[in-house]
Amino acid sequence: MLAGSTASMRALDFYRIPLFLLPIYQAAAVQYGVPWPVLAAINEVETDFGTDQSVSSAGAVGWMQFMPETWLQ
């Protein structure tokens, strides 16, 4: 579990993860089988944790920058 782990707390400091997003990443990790640090890293790289939600040059949108067609499948 993440809570109380020294290494996990250092990871949170290093990656600047907004704490309100952590339970969301953790729940998605359990539901979809993707490690929460991977989800956090994608969110950081793609939108700086949601602070830049502009549409990409490829047309990807949203907090994680998915293509709209992805949701149609």
Side-chain angles (χ1 to χ4, degrees):
M1 185 78 191
L2 175 72
S5 166
T6 302
S8 295
M9 294 311 292
R10 275 188 266 148
L12 289 174
D13 288 340
F14 179 77
Y15 289 111
R16 307 176 302 111
I17 298 168
L19 291 181
F20 77 95
L21 291 173
L22 188 56
I24 298 168
Y25 298 143
Q26 290 174 318
V30 170
Q31 186 167 353
Y32 299 107
V34 178
W36 75 261
V38 172
L39 297 171
I42 291 168
N43 194 202
E44 180 180 26
V45 168
E46 294 298 336
T47 66
D48 193 20
F49 300 112
T51 61
D52 177 9
Q53 292 193 40
S54 57
V55 177
S56 77
S57 59
V61 298
W63 278 65
M64 302 293 272
Q65 289 291 289
F66 282 101
M67 297 297 286
E69 294 79 21
T70 301
W71 304 112
L72 298 176
Q73 295 182 9

